[in-house]
Each structure stands twice: as structure tokens, then as C-alpha cells.
């Protein structure tokens, strides 16, 4: 495991959830003349910096934070990346 | 005995609701701050008012759902205490997992502020017991995130348990709300062990006196008094 104290939580809307922002942006991009775009979806990322290097216990903690508040499992999936 | 109206950072319908209880219904009503760890001892009903708690950061209601007062609200719900969440209050109840599902941005991507026709499917029950079953009423909505969403499995459970309390009258070809895309045209949902929780997007406190355009909403707020 690389030594880092920074992680990034990537949050995306689940496929079966209508993404109003993504659709609006896709329509705007199409109007600019880019007509080869099949689909665009908007998500968000949250960067977390810990006091100490991240080990497996802290990855579990970041996953707990993600489940508790950062992502809502009814509509969102998330993935944790170490930076 | 008193009604507790909760106040979160950037609630904005708390005082309107307080006004209706104190001035229209001549009832005891107290504002309770989000960081309190318990409800007042005399609480007989709780309102989570409308607003934009914590600026809708992350997701509407997500921050408010984790404030200290919400632990007391969950305990109050579990023992059958009546709780009504209006607009942002409905969003907070969903984020706190007191009600199933979530409120997503409207299908139009816009804030919508208008009066809508509603059907009181749950008339005669819980906070809607002063309405007739399937009574038609009109209340204003004022929201950006009012599109109710839940998985197919959850929707099936909601229907089986007859939890759809209020629905938008105008529906699209899929049966979702024409106005915002809400699944099953859900405008209000029952929850709790005994349908003692009601979350609704329309604003009953804004239709509580004829002088301000109608009083179709008054009986919802009245339900906490008796």
C-alpha cells in the first residue's frame, strides 16, 4: 500500500437514476456542435486528508463516513481512491 | 403539551409554522434548535419545517439529518409520536432514514413555486385524519428537489403498506408526477410504526388562513393538537 494521508471519494449516481444535470449539460454540449456524445453523467468527489498515513483501518473509516453521510446508497455508488 | 417546531441552520418556514400554531390555532408551540439533545418534556408532536438547511450541501437534508436533535426525533417516532416533515423537513426525514427513499432534483432541473392539485390518498389516517379519503385539495409547492425516488422494491413495499399519503393529481404517461417527475406521483408519504410520520413536499402552513389564499393545509397542522 503506498504511503499517503490523502484519499478521494468518488460519488456517482446509480445508472437507474435520472441525472437531470448530466442531461442538461449533454444538451448544451450538443448545441456547441459536439454531436458524437452518447451520454454524460455528473458526479462529485470529496478529498479527505488525514493526520496520519492511511492504513486498512483508516480505509474502513473512510468507507464508513461515505456510507453514513457522503453518499446515499438509495441513489449513489462511491469508490475510495488513495492519492 | 406543546408542538415542537425544529430549527436547523437555514430553515425558513419555522416561524410561519409557529405563527399558525400560536395565532391561528391558539395552541402551545415551541421552537427547538438542531443541537438540542432532547425534545421538551411536554412535546406531543414534532414539525420539521421547510427551508434550505445547510444550503442543501451534499444532498438536500443530508447535514440536518445528522444533527443531535434527530436522535430524539427517531426515539419519538419509535414510540409512536406524531412527526410531520414539510418540504425540507420531508427531505431530512428521508436522509435520516425515518422515511424510505429520497427527494431528487425536479425533472425540469428548475425550482418550482406554484399551487398544485393534490389527492389525499391517506385521508382518515394519521396526520390526515381530518380529511376525507381521496379528498381533493390544493396546496403550494416551492422546491428544487421534490422528485421522490426509491427502488422498485421499495416502491412495491410502499404501495403494499398503503404509505402513499398524498399524490399529485396530474400524472405523466408512466404515472409519475407531471410537475416534478416524482415516482408514483408521490407528494406525501406515511412512515413510522403506526403511520405516525408524514413527510410532504407541499406547504400546508402556507394555506392555513383564507386571507392568504386558502386553508386546505390547516387540518394537517391541527392533527398534532388532538
Amino acid at each position: 500500500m503506498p504511503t499517503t494521508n490523502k484519499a478521494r471519494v468518488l460519488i456517482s449516481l446509480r445508472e437507474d437514476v435520472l441525472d437531470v444535470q448530466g442531461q442538461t449539460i449533454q444538451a448544451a454540449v450538443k448545441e456547441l456542435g459536439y454531436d458524437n456524445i452518447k451520454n454524460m453523467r455528473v458526479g462529485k468527489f470529496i478529498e479527505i486528508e488525514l493526520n496520519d498515513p492511511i492504513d486498512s483501518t483508516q480505509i474502513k473509516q473512510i468507507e464508513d463516513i461515505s456510507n453514513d453521510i457522503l453518499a446515499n446508497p438509495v441513489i449513489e455508488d462511491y469508490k475510495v481512491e488513495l492519492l | 403539551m406543546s408542538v415542537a417546531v425544529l430549527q436547523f441552520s437555514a430553515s425558513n418556514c419555522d416561524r410561519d409554522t409557529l405563527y399558525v400554531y400560536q395565532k391561528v390555532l391558539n395552541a402551545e408551540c415551541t421552537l427547538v434548535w438542531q443541537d438540542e439533545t432532547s425534545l421538551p418534556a411536554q412535546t406531543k408532536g414534532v414539525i420539521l419545517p421547510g427551508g434550505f438547511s445547510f444550503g442543501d450541501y451534499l444532498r438536500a437534508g443530508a447535514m440536518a439529518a445528522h444533527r443531535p436533535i434527530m436522535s430524539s426525533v427517531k426515539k419519538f417516532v419509535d414510540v409512536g409520536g406524531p412527526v410531520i416533515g414539510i418540504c425540507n423537513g420531508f427531505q431530512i426525514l428521508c436522509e435520516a432514514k425515518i422515511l424510505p427513499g429520497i427527494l431528487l432534483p425536479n425533472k425540469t432541473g428548475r425550482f418550482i413555486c406554484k399551487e398544485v392539485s393534490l389527492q389525499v390518498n391517506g385521508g382518515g389516517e394519521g396526520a390526515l385524519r381530518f380529511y376525507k379519503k381521496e379528498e381533493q385539495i390544493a396546496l403550494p409547492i416551492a422546491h428544487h428537489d421534490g422528485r421522490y425516488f426509491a427502488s422498485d422494491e421499495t416502491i412495491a413495499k410502499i404501495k403494499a403498506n398503503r404509505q402513499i399519503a398524498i399524490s399529485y393529481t396530474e400524472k405523466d404517461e408512466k404515472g409519475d408526477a407531471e410537475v416534478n417527475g416524482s415516482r408514483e406521483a408521490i407528494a406525501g408519504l406515511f412512515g413510522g410504526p403506526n403511520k405516525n410520520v408524514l413527510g410532504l413536499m407541499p406547504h400546508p402552513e402556507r394555506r392555513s388562513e383564507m386571507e392568504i389564499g386558502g386553508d386546505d393545509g390547516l387540518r394537517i397542522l391541527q392533527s398534532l393538537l388532538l
Side-chain angles (χ1 to χ4, degrees):
Chain A
M1 190 179 290
T3 305
T4 176
N5 65 340
K6 287 185 186 173
R8 184 179 281 157
V9 181
L10 294 158
I11 300 165
S12 53
L13 271 183
R14 285 177 24 189
E15 284 301 316
D16 56 341
V17 179
L18 172 69
D19 179 7
V20 178
Q21 268 196 77
Q23 285 195 341
T24 307
I25 295 167
Q26 189 179 340
V29 168
K30 198 175 171 189
E31 277 183 29
L32 290 174
Y34 301 98
D35 53 8
N36 60 339
I37 307 230
K38 190 171 171 189
N39 195 16
M40 291 177 89
R41 292 180 74 76
V42 176
K44 57 192 150 199
F45 69 82
I46 295 166
E47 286 183 358
I48 302 179
E49 191 174 348
L50 299 190
N51 290 325
D52 304 306
I54 295 173
D55 59 19
S56 57
T57 310
Q58 280 144 344
I59 288 181
K60 172 73 171 58
Q61 185 196 17
I62 293 169
E63 285 172 351
D64 287 345
I65 295 169
S66 302
N67 282 320
D68 284 348
I69 184 164
L70 300 184
N72 184 325
V74 175
I75 49 159
E76 293 166 328
D77 293 321
Y78 72 89
K79 162 167 100 174
V80 179
E81 283 182 356
L82 297 184
L83 299 181
Chain B
M1 297 295 267
S2 174
V3 173
V5 175
L6 308 189
Q7 283 184 306
F8 298 94
S9 299
S11 291
N12 64 16
C13 301
D14 43 334
R15 288 178 183 278
D16 300 31
T17 311
L18 181 75
Y19 167 85
V20 176
Y21 279 108
Q22 293 183 336
K23 305 293 182 187
V24 182
L25 293 168
N26 202 17
E28 292 281 321
C29 186
T30 320
L31 295 172
V32 178
W33 181 238
Q34 59 187 4
D35 293 339
E36 295 292 337
T37 50
S38 60
L39 293 165
Q42 300 302 311
T43 302
K44 63 177 162 186
V46 176
I47 299 263
L48 286 78
F52 288 88
S53 58
F54 296 86
D56 281 354
Y57 290 176
L58 205 55
R59 296 173 306 276
M63 302 293 176
H66 291 80
R67 299 315 305 165
I69 194 64
M70 290 307 292
S71 304
S72 304
V73 173
K74 279 180 195 170
K75 286 180 197 148
F76 188 73
V77 166
D78 288 343
V79 297
V83 173
I84 299 173
I86 302 165
C87 197
N88 190 221
F90 186 8
Q91 295 162 341
I92 295 168
L93 288 173
C94 288
E95 280 287 342
K97 300 186 174 70
I98 292 172
L99 289 174
I102 189 171
L103 282 309
L104 290 173
N106 299 331
K107 68 174 178 186
T108 55
R110 291 179 176 226
F111 184 90
I112 303 168
C113 185
K114 65 187 282 197
E115 185 159 281
V116 293
S117 309
L118 300 162
Q119 177 168 301
V120 188
N121 309 65
E125 299 177 272
L128 300 174
R129 66 182 176 281
F130 298 138
Y131 294 81
K132 290 196 280 288
K133 190 162 177 57
E134 299 184 355
E135 185 173 335
Q136 305 286 316
I137 62 170
L139 292 175
I141 54 169
H143 61 239
H144 182 275
D145 294 13
R147 174 165 55 103
Y148 184 79
F149 178 87
S151 66
D152 291 344
E153 193 190 348
T154 303
I155 291 282
K157 265 190 216 162
I158 285 170
K159 288 167 92 168
N161 297 336
R162 306 189 331 111
Q163 281 176 262
I164 302 179
I166 306 174
S167 58
Y168 298 101
T169 311
E170 288 185 35
K171 297 174 189 176
D172 66 15
E173 66 283 355
K174 284 195 298 182
D176 298 338
E178 187 65 50
V179 67
N180 59 11
S182 198
R183 282 201 80 176
E184 301 292 328
I186 290 170
L189 197 64
F190 281 134
N194 196 22
K195 293 193 178 175
N196 51 311
V197 179
L198 172 68
L200 73 165
M201 289 312 295
H203 285 270
E205 78 283 7
R206 297 187 190 180
R207 285 295 181 276
S208 292
E209 286 177 290
M210 291 313 289
E211 289 88 341
I212 55 166
D215 62 359
D216 275 358
L218 189 63
R219 285 171 283 164
I220 293 178
L221 301 183
Q222 235 166 357
S223 73
L224 296 186
L225 300 180
L226 298 168

